[in-house]
Amino acid sequence: MAPSTSSTVTLNVNGEKHTLSVDHRTTLLDALRERLDLTGTKKGCDHGQCGACTVLVDGRRTVSCLQLAVTAEEQEITTVEGLAEGGRLHPVQQAFLDLDGFQCGYCTPGQICSAVAVIEEHAAGWPSAATGDVRPEAGPPPLTPEEIRERMSGNLCRCGAYVAIARAVARAAAETRTGTEEAAA
């Protein structure tokens, strides 16, 4: 008897559980787009090099074209469709809209998901290759345009909207910081 080449998995996507029977070779990207009709996540290069398919898996950015759907079971998957809350756009989505952080828009969902993770990584004090002082006691580095560009470097924009993207990330980070400080007060 030949071993089965498919499995039934339950994917927790944007707060909803979905049970699917998938071939073991099905990528998370294909499961999201073709099986769950969540077409916000884009298929760009299909080789993990462009970032168009970036989603959040347990809060960490992941290029979904390289992750198999069967490995995402038991994890919280957030796509660009799941970022808004109660009809209100996520601060990153709003900043991209307000500051024209897109041109054709194809890479935008991946850029936005990556930016959400960048802001969280920065707030947690994670250094990047552009961080000058990586000692933990130095705290988070300033979120300069150089720091943002380095942290977002895994997401390509064929239209070249990088200046507006960096501005949108900086604005959303400032708004997120302000909102966090107000909530703590």
Side-chain angles (χ1 to χ4, degrees):
M1 178 182 237
S4 174
T5 60
S6 65
S7 294
T8 299
V9 296
T10 301
L11 300 178
N12 187 359
V13 182
N14 300 329
E16 286 186 39
K17 293 191 185 263
H18 303 272
T19 302
L20 307 169
S21 178
V22 295
D23 184 287
H24 293 155
R25 298 165 292 182
T26 302
T27 63
L28 179 56
L29 171 63
D30 289 337
L32 292 170
R33 288 185 57 80
E34 297 172 14
R35 302 295 303 281
L36 299 178
D37 293 323
L38 294 169
T39 57
T41 305
K42 303 300 183 206
K43 184 178 277 199
C45 67
D46 213 20
H47 294 286
Q49 297 175 352
C50 73
C53 67
T54 302
V55 298
L56 303 175
V57 177
D58 288 340
R60 306 256 335 245
R61 45 191 163 156
T62 300
V63 284
S64 60
C65 71
L66 295 183
Q67 182 168 355
L68 297 176
V70 294
T71 67
E73 192 163 38
E74 307 280 328
Q75 297 176 316
E76 177 63 38
I77 302 159
T78 305
T79 68
V80 71
E81 294 97 339
L83 292 173
E85 289 187 27
R88 184 171 183 211
L89 293 178
H90 185 281
V92 173
Q93 292 171 312
Q94 190 64 56
F96 267 71
L97 185 63
D98 293 345
L99 299 173
D100 295 325
F102 55 89
Q103 285 183 28
C104 80
Y106 197 81
C107 72
T108 304
Q111 297 275 2
I112 288 172
C113 285
S114 190
V116 168
V118 161
I119 292 167
E120 291 176 8
E121 292 164 7
H122 176 262
W126 295 11
S128 78
T131 303
D133 188 350
V134 297
R135 293 173 300 137
E137 60 270 14
L143 198 55
T144 62
E146 179 186 33
E147 192 73 38
I148 292 169
R149 284 192 304 271
E150 173 59 33
R151 291 171 185 266
M152 293 290 294
S153 65
N155 292 81
L156 303 180
C157 173
R158 294 179 72 178
C159 300
Y162 295 115
V163 173
I165 290 168
R167 276 192 216 125
V169 174
R171 177 171 145 187
E175 289 178 8
T176 302
R177 227 178 2 263
T178 302
T180 303
E181 290 166 2
E182 289 173 2

